[in-house]
């Protein structure tokens, strides 16, 4: 029983670490995508304003 528990704990901790790392990476990716969408919208509006001025 003790041998099984000593193997299970590092494996469990590794999976928790992996899950938290993937959560952080997903959050950063979503933030970058939102920022890219926001900037794309800003530049589209700026180009449209510039086009309408001519």
């Amino acid at each position: 029983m003790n041998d099984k528990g000593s193997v299970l704990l590092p494996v469990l901790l590794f999976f928790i670490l992996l899950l938290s790392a993937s959560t952080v990476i997903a959050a950063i990716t979503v933030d970058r995508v939102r920022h890219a969408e926001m900037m794309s919208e800003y530049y589209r509006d700026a180009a449209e304003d510039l086009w309408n001025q001519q």
Side-chain angles (χ1 to χ4, degrees):
M1 183 75 179
N2 197 12
D3 291 339
K4 205 175 203 180
S6 64
V7 171
L8 192 62
L9 184 64
V11 170
L12 190 64
L13 289 175
F14 178 73
F15 278 115
I16 290 171
L17 180 71
L18 206 64
L19 182 66
S20 60
S22 64
T23 304
V24 169
I25 290 171
I28 290 172
T29 304
V30 166
D31 188 52
R32 291 177 78 183
V33 166
R34 283 183 183 157
H35 181 260
E37 288 175 345
M38 203 170 60
M39 292 309 291
S40 169
E41 189 175 323
Y42 171 78
Y43 283 118
R44 188 191 68 219
D45 291 343
E48 191 175 320
D49 290 343
L50 194 64
W51 182 262
N52 289 335
Q53 284 178 3
Q54 294 177 348

